[in-house]
Amino acid sequence: MLQAAFREVHRSGFQNAGINTILEATNVTKGALYHHFDSKEALGYAVVDEIVTKIVRDGWLSPLLGSGQPIDILIGIVRRISVRPDDIRTGCPLLNLATEMSPVDEQFRKRLERIFLAWQEGVAALLRRGQSEGTVRCDLNPEESASFLVAMVEGYASLAKNAQDAQVWEVGIRNIVGWLRSLRAPRQSPKGGRPMSKKHVVRRAR
């Protein structure tokens, strides 16, 4: 039921989503639907809590806990963002619902805000780990960098959806990856002195 509701909401938006369309896809009666959900809004809240939250958890929060250098982890996640035509056409479900429902329904807004905050905090925690390990620049603010990353991801998702063009997302991925690389801590010399220049690195490699 929730998967069918999610597909309909993702395709049509929550306000235009048809209850009958959802029922036809599941062979569930309207009486059975309203036995579990008091209203269409309650069904929508469940879609956010169960489906949209899981999408962000599986795509971002769980990979953020992986082993490896933080910047490498973030680059890997970004490079795995789907640029399939169907995903470009429908866009990010979190962004779609936030744009449509946050101004008109406070319960939707609060639920979506929790997802955004968890996403940002997950990235910030990873960047803080990188700072403590010396692999992420110590001068950056993890929270601000995390919110900027989320904004870039969702911004390019919006641009690609509007253009209906996967190349827009491909350019976005390259730009985001380039920015993430700029967050790496400078390489230090073996004696802990000044950062090693490219010239020094080349000479040592010979």
Side-chain angles (χ1 to χ4, degrees):
M1 170 64 74
L2 289 180
Q3 287 289 348
F6 168 75
R7 288 191 294 271
E8 173 63 8
V9 169
H10 197 194
R11 179 173 56 248
S12 305
F14 176 76
Q15 295 179 85
N16 291 328
I19 289 295
N20 289 335
T21 302
I22 297 170
L23 294 176
E24 290 171 4
T26 59
N27 294 319
V28 173
T29 66
K30 187 169 292 188
L33 170 67
Y34 286 112
H35 175 75
H36 294 285
F37 303 102
D38 295 338
S39 63
K40 179 182 176 182
E41 287 73 19
L43 177 60
Y45 301 154
V47 166
V48 173
D49 293 342
E50 300 296 330
I51 307 298
V52 179
T53 296
K54 185 177 186 301
I55 290 172
V56 176
R57 183 173 64 245
D58 292 349
W60 282 89
L61 300 184
S62 294
L64 289 174
L65 301 176
S67 60
Q69 291 194 10
I71 301 303
D72 292 336
I73 291 172
L74 289 170
I75 288 174
I77 294 172
V78 170
R79 283 178 168 165
R80 287 193 295 272
I81 291 173
S82 174
V83 294
R84 295 182 306 174
D86 285 349
D87 294 323
I88 297 296
R89 180 178 57 80
T90 53
C92 170
L94 174 60
L95 177 62
N96 291 349
L97 280 169
T99 302
E100 178 191 8
M101 298 305 298
S102 291
V104 299
D105 189 295
E106 185 65 6
Q107 289 301 314
F108 265 107
R109 190 198 67 77
K110 288 181 177 179
R111 284 173 162 82
L112 297 166
E113 181 183 40
R114 283 197 292 269
I115 298 173
F116 276 120
L117 291 176
W119 183 2
Q120 293 174 69
E121 176 52 32
V123 173
L126 183 64
L127 292 174
R128 286 194 294 269
R129 175 167 77 79
Q131 287 180 322
S132 69
E133 295 170 348
T135 61
V136 172
R137 283 169 31 202
C138 62
D139 63 312
L140 66 81
N141 182 302
E143 288 73 23
E144 292 178 0
S145 297
S147 66
F148 186 53
L149 175 59
V150 171
M152 282 194 292
V153 169
E154 295 293 50
Y156 273 113
S158 180
L159 290 174
K161 179 182 177 182
N162 177 255
Q164 289 294 292
D165 188 350
Q167 289 187 346
V168 173
W169 236 136
E170 290 166 357
V171 170
I173 290 171
R174 289 200 301 270
N175 287 335
I176 295 171
V177 168
W179 175 76
L180 286 169
R181 286 174 174 157
S182 75
L183 305 186
R184 295 187 193 276
R187 294 186 63 179
Q188 299 294 315
S189 67
K191 295 182 179 180
R194 297 167 60 184
M196 297 174 66
S197 68
K198 291 183 179 179
K199 182 177 180 181
H200 289 152
V201 173
V202 171
R203 284 180 175 176
R204 290 176 64 87
R206 288 176 178 173

